[in-house]
Amino acid sequence: MIRVMLAEDQNLVRGALAALLGLEEDLEIVAEAADGIEAVAVARRVRPDVALLDIEMPGTDGLTAAAEIRAAVPGCHVMILTTFGRPGYLRRAMEAGASAFLIKDGPAEQLAAAIRRVVAGERVIDPALAAAALSAGPNPLSRRERDVLAAGAGGATIADIASRLHLSEGTVRNYLSSAITKVGVRNRIEAAQAAERNGWL
């Protein structure tokens, strides 16, 4: 039996996935989690063969949880299953040690087959997303530039960002200017939107 853990914050989706995968004779759902922090704790305790993670979860997101699970339970294969097919997310998932990156709208049989392939040592990536990731290129933003753009989302002022990140206002302006130039847009709002759209934040 392949022992699977599910981490998904939407109860209905998690329940449906558990029910569908539970119909497969060689798959057993051994644990469920509603957020990234719980997913890491449960994976440490249960030590599943496969951890199936959503990206957008409260607490710790699925990409951060993926890296933590890989570090804590090296024998566990991490698979990302998401609604958000963004090229930057795929790159970050692979960097976190994920063995698969799939979009949620695929059929259940396809997901079950992907789980078996991952356990057999293969890497499974949504083909359309793989092509988009290759054409998009790597994330041009530094860690600090991403932090500053994320902190500025929702219209925060330079002073707000500086206070939140414990930086000077001049340093915040420099990071924003650099991010705007790298992304090739006119202002920080467009830079944040482009970064979000590409999954760089």
Side-chain angles (χ1 to χ4, degrees):
M1 291 291 282
I2 298 171
R3 301 170 70 252
V4 180
M5 180 191 82
L6 296 176
E8 161 67 59
D9 63 319
Q10 295 180 28
N11 292 336
L12 191 61
V13 175
R14 191 172 67 249
L17 280 171
L20 289 168
L21 293 176
L23 296 174
E24 302 290 326
E25 291 184 1
D26 58 340
L27 302 182
E28 179 187 4
I29 306 303
V30 294
E32 298 181 24
D35 61 53
I37 294 169
E38 184 184 7
V40 175
V42 169
R44 283 178 190 271
R45 188 177 73 248
V46 177
R47 306 190 83 74
D49 299 314
V50 174
L52 194 57
L53 309 177
D54 185 23
I55 288 181
E56 297 285 332
M57 292 188 290
T60 298
D61 65 68
L63 297 174
T64 304
E68 292 180 16
I69 290 170
R70 288 289 298 140
V73 190
C76 178
H77 302 277
V78 175
M79 299 177 65
I80 301 293
L81 184 64
T82 183
T83 307
F84 303 99
R86 296 174 182 153
Y89 281 169
L90 170 56
R91 286 182 178 275
R92 287 169 56 199
M94 296 300 106
E95 288 166 5
S99 298
F101 193 101
L102 301 167
I103 306 303
K104 281 183 184 173
D105 61 5
E109 307 81 49
Q110 200 173 68
L111 177 58
I115 291 171
R116 294 182 191 104
R117 288 174 60 193
V118 161
V119 170
E122 294 182 46
R123 186 167 264 185
V124 184
I125 300 170
D126 180 88
L129 191 56
L134 287 172
S135 64
N139 182 348
L141 301 172
S142 72
R143 173 81 251 167
R144 265 314 200 186
E145 288 163 353
R146 294 195 301 270
D147 290 344
V148 167
L149 283 178
T157 66
I158 298 290
D160 292 338
I161 299 169
S163 173
R164 187 174 307 155
L165 299 178
H166 308 292
L167 298 171
S168 71
E169 292 185 23
T171 300
V172 168
R173 285 191 185 89
N174 288 340
Y175 281 129
L176 287 173
S177 176
S178 175
I180 290 164
T181 301
K182 286 181 180 178
V183 177
V185 293
R186 295 173 298 178
N187 56 52
R188 68 184 176 115
I189 294 168
E190 290 181 4
Q193 289 171 341
E196 179 68 29
R197 190 167 55 249
N198 284 290
W200 294 337
L201 292 184

